[in-house]
């Protein structure tokens, strides 16, 4: 069974979703992310993806207190991303109860530092974030293109021991147009033992099942759930 990972994206301490990563296209779905996390847990969810969108834009963790509140109130395994730019940010996230952190921009801009973190904290606690637009890696809250091609970027770090990769197709994120199954098939054809987490475009239970059939181990979803298009009872 594919691992189900609902997302809670945070701006000003509220649950939001962006469209195509555009901060100007923001929808607030819940004012209370802790209540949202408890709702997921009640429905049988065990893993949660929390994204500090304020942090991604500000280059440091902003919503650490919300992360702490979620981990205090639930038994969910939380991976946390957004604004992880320094060792202090990683330590803050772990101290606030995150089991894993997702690091993307630093892996592009400071690869030696990323590898230091990978070795220091271990491949089970560091998730490589690969946010893709038109085949290129985007950084800093999807606001900039790095110009790096996806597969060579992943290969560089898989060789160094990366095991968990969260890959978001920005062109589909928040659009409810279906995930980029062909993209994930291509990644797994190059790296068949990778624990790949698919993100972006999920619009239905059928989309999740199509990812499962493609061999994708885990899937992140958000907007489809918040808009009532996914019934977790059909999956958990």
């Amino acid at each position: 069974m594919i691992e189900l990972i609902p997302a809670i994206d945070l701006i000003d301490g509220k649950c939001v979703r962006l469209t195509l990563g555009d901060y100007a296209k923001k929808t607030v779905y819940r004012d209370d992310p802790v209540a949202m996390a408890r709702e997921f847990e009640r429905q049988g969810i065990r893993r949660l993806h929390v994204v500090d969108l304020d942090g991604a834009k500000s280059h440091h963790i902003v919503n650490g207190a919300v992360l702490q509140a979620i981990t205090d109130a639930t038994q969910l395994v939380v991976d946390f991303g957004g604004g992880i730019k320094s060792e202090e940010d990683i330590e803050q996230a772990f101290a606030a109860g995150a089991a894993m952190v997702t690091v993307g921009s630093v892996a592009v801009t400071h690869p030696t530092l990323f590898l230091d973190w990978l070795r220091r904290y271990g491949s089970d606690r560091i998730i490589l974030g690969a946010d893709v637009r038109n085949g290129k890696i985007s950084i800093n809250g999807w606001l900039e293109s790095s110009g790096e091609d996806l597969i060579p970027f992943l290969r560089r770090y898989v060789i160094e021991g990366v095991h968990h990769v969260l890959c978001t197709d920005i062109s589909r994120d928040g659009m409810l147009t279906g995930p980029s199954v062909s993209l994930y098939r291509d990644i797994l054809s190059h790296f068949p033992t990778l624990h790949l987490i698919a993100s972006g475009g999920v619009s239905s239970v059928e989309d999740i099942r199509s990812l499962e059939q493609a061999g994708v181990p885990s899937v992140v979803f958000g907007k489809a759930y918040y808009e009532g298009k996914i019934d977790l009872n059909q999956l958990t």
Side-chain angles (χ1 to χ4, degrees):
M1 177 64 185
I2 193 169
E3 182 183 34
L4 304 173
I5 312 176
I8 291 180
D9 293 358
L10 300 169
I11 291 180
D12 296 329
K14 298 176 181 179
C15 298
V16 309
R17 294 298 290 174
L18 306 181
T19 299
L20 299 175
D22 188 342
Y23 282 72
K25 297 177 181 177
K26 175 186 74 176
T27 302
V28 177
Y29 284 102
R30 297 288 181 90
D31 289 335
D32 187 347
V34 176
M36 189 72 253
R38 285 190 181 124
E39 180 178 317
F40 285 131
E41 188 173 41
R42 282 195 301 270
Q43 294 184 79
I45 291 295
R46 294 190 293 271
R47 170 91 175 265
L48 184 66
H49 178 58
V50 177
V51 183
D52 185 351
L53 290 174
D54 292 314
K57 203 171 185 180
S58 302
H59 301 269
H60 62 84
I61 291 176
V62 174
N63 287 286
V66 179
L67 170 63
Q68 182 76 66
I70 289 172
T71 60
D72 284 347
T74 72
Q75 298 298 312
L76 293 166
V77 175
V78 178
D79 69 79
F80 182 81
I84 304 290
K85 306 295 185 189
S86 68
E87 187 173 340
E88 289 75 19
D89 289 320
I90 292 181
E91 294 291 347
Q92 182 182 347
F94 287 152
M100 293 161 276
V101 294
T102 299
V103 181
S105 299
V106 168
V108 174
T109 59
H110 297 87
T112 301
L113 180 60
F114 176 81
L115 288 174
D116 180 57
W117 293 347
L118 183 67
R119 294 176 185 125
R120 183 174 307 182
Y121 297 104
S123 60
D124 288 335
R125 302 196 81 188
I126 302 291
I127 301 169
L128 175 62
D131 301 325
V132 185
R133 195 195 310 266
N134 299 323
K136 306 288 185 181
I137 298 291
S138 289
I139 60 174
N140 294 328
W142 304 349
L143 299 175
E144 304 171 36
S145 174
S146 71
E148 286 215 43
D149 291 320
L150 173 63
I151 297 301
F153 173 77
L154 294 179
R155 182 174 291 111
R156 181 197 320 165
Y157 289 116
V158 169
I159 289 170
E160 295 290 346
V162 160
H163 180 57
H164 298 274
V165 170
L166 172 63
C167 183
T168 301
D169 184 344
I170 300 169
S171 69
R172 295 178 183 245
D173 193 74
M175 297 300 290
L176 299 176
T177 53
S180 186
V181 177
S182 60
L183 170 68
Y184 302 121
R185 279 203 183 102
D186 183 47
I187 292 171
L188 289 171
S189 72
H190 286 89
F191 313 106
T193 62
L194 194 66
H195 187 96
L196 179 63
I197 307 164
S199 174
V202 171
S203 65
S204 65
V205 168
E206 289 70 27
D207 284 342
I208 292 174
R209 288 177 175 151
S210 70
L211 288 167
E212 184 174 30
Q213 289 166 5
V216 176
S218 301
V219 57
V220 166
F221 56 91
K223 188 172 184 178
Y225 176 83
Y226 295 123
E227 298 204 349
K229 297 181 183 298
I230 289 178
D231 180 358
L232 290 178
N233 292 322
Q234 298 179 41
L235 293 164
T236 55

